[in-house]
Amino acid sequence: MLERLRQLWNVRELRNKILFVLGMLVIFRILAHIPIPAIDAAGLKSFLSGNPLLGLLNLFSGGGLENFSIVMLGVGPYITASIIMQLLTMIVPKLEAIQKDGESGQAKINQYTRYLTLPMALLQGFSTLTFLRQQAGGASVLGAISPFDMVVALAAILGGTMLLMWIGELISEKKVGNGISLLIFAGIIAQLPQSVQQTVSVIDQTQILTIVSFLVIGLITIAGVVFVTEGQRNIPVTYAKRAIGTSSMGGVNTHLPLRVNQAGVIPIIFAVSIILFPPLIAQFFTTSATPWIANLAVWVRDFFQNQTYYGLMYFILVVAFTYFYTAVVFQPQQIAENLQKQGGFIPGIRPGTPTAHYLSYVSNRIILGGALFLGLIAVLPTILQSFSNMQSIAIGGTSLLIVVSVVLEMLKQVQAQLVMRDYESFYK
């Protein structure tokens, strides 16, 4: 490991990439501490501590919501726009054709996603401000906010969100990790010391055993995340021999790896974006003049504030999005066609459509374990709090999953670049 770190630092290009990424993350943390004017930060922190939904939103904004900073929405609008675009590419034939048009098509889809992020940021920013203003004590959080102050706040939120989206894309271009995931990762790590301090400050000697139990569960969770993230099933593939001139090629036995968790942390990020949306929208209609609309809005708000219903909905959404995102990124028909064109086949399975059906069948079966694991990790903090008297957990299952998964992905990308340079030096 030390040898790899030394190689990493000695390669000037990689060193510059990592320093650039670290610089972008520092800028993100500075932006997360630039507050919007006329906000009572102490009142806002007190309000967020008692609201699990806004606590999740604060987690994915990297603490930006807690400080009511210009990046208070984090990468949420960009994630929501990505979900909508991926759904549209599966429904609209024209967008599906654009997506299949190689790198140029993917570039167009990414551009459409950026355009869609703009209205999503305005909608989520306005919804969040309205939500806070309508809550009990909301006036003490926002102060006497005028229409002009609302416009200024929305402009600052919009600018911060678009700037954060740009920073995430710049990080992704360096090929040392996914920019959006790294921004969320940096927010979680930045909040960890404060969360640990808050947890330690409220415990007494009677809770020592509980803390030790949490630490053990945390270590087991980390080991489980690594095991599931790295777990894969190898599908044997054989390439037939082909005669080219006087030489023969092929006749190689290899394998096609199918990962247990092909979607990574994306399903949890998607689920959080969706589960936060209904209660925020419902706040607009709690004071409606139409009784049935007001009653429905109150029911939606209370439903998501109930820990049992909230945890169940969260679990179902994570499992559903695991299957959905895997269906987007894993294309059995395309893989079967590529194998057939290259003269490869799975022993005992006919090439073409039967191969696609077999890959889909195997993928759906192994994904079930990964989906249930992600769902369990997502609701782990709620389960732990229901069995203990502690209302503050330093780092939850979702945070652990994101941190471990991002670190593993970053290490893989850095390792791949080191290996590539080893081959280049050997060839020279």
Side-chain angles (χ1 to χ4, degrees), residues 126-388:
F126 183 73
S127 301
T128 305
L129 292 174
T130 305
F131 173 77
L132 293 174
R133 187 167 58 179
Q134 290 182 352
Q135 295 301 301
S140 63
V141 174
L142 294 179
I145 185 169
S146 64
F148 177 76
D149 293 332
M150 177 69 79
V151 173
V152 172
L154 286 176
I157 292 170
L158 178 61
T161 301
M162 302 307 290
L163 177 59
L164 205 59
M165 179 189 70
W166 180 58
I167 290 176
E169 293 188 349
L170 288 179
I171 293 176
S172 297
E173 289 177 358
K174 298 301 178 180
K175 304 296 184 183
V176 291
N178 181 274
I180 302 301
S181 299
L182 278 173
L183 291 175
I184 300 175
F185 166 83
I188 294 172
I189 296 300
Q191 294 181 74
L192 184 58
Q194 181 182 1
S195 299
V196 172
Q197 181 183 5
Q198 291 176 352
T199 302
V200 173
S201 64
V202 298
I203 65 173
D204 52 36
Q205 293 182 352
T206 61
Q207 294 179 321
I208 297 298
L209 182 61
T210 304
I211 295 296
V212 173
S213 301
F214 282 168
L215 292 176
V216 173
I217 293 174
L219 293 176
I220 295 174
T221 302
I222 292 175
V225 169
V226 175
F227 180 77
V228 173
T229 302
E230 296 297 305
Q232 65 184 33
R233 177 172 175 179
N234 295 328
I235 305 297
V237 176
T238 300
Y239 288 91
K241 289 186 177 181
R242 293 178 296 172
I244 301 179
T246 58
S247 61
S248 63
M249 299 182 62
V252 178
N253 293 323
T254 181
H255 65 269
L256 176 66
L258 296 183
R259 306 190 71 85
V260 175
N261 180 21
Q262 300 186 48
V265 299
I266 300 299
I268 288 185
I269 298 175
F270 281 7
V272 169
S273 301
I274 296 299
I275 205 171
L276 291 173
F277 192 69
L280 289 177
I281 296 299
Q283 293 301 320
F284 289 104
F285 304 99
T286 54
T287 58
S288 173
T290 306
W292 72 270
I293 294 179
N295 293 335
L296 178 62
V298 171
W299 180 85
V300 171
R301 183 193 62 190
D302 294 341
F303 177 84
F304 281 91
Q305 288 180 351
N306 184 291
Q307 289 293 307
T308 302
Y309 297 148
Y310 155 77
L312 182 61
M313 183 65 66
Y314 193 13
F315 180 85
I316 294 174
L317 283 175
V318 170
V319 173
F321 273 117
T322 301
Y323 275 92
F324 164 74
Y325 192 75
T326 302
V328 172
V329 299
F330 181 69
Q331 302 291 337
Q333 187 64 42
Q334 184 177 357
I335 295 175
E337 291 177 358
N338 291 337
L339 285 176
Q340 189 173 16
K341 291 177 182 178
Q342 297 170 5
F345 62 93
I346 300 174
I349 307 296
R350 294 177 62 86
T353 303
T355 297
H357 290 166
Y358 175 77
L359 292 176
S360 179
Y361 170 76
V362 174
S363 177
N364 289 334
R365 293 194 60 173
I366 63 176
I367 287 173
L368 177 61
L372 294 177
F373 177 80
L374 286 180
L376 180 62
I377 290 294
V379 299
L380 182 62
T382 303
I383 296 174
L384 292 179
Q385 289 180 1
S386 65
F387 285 98
S388 68

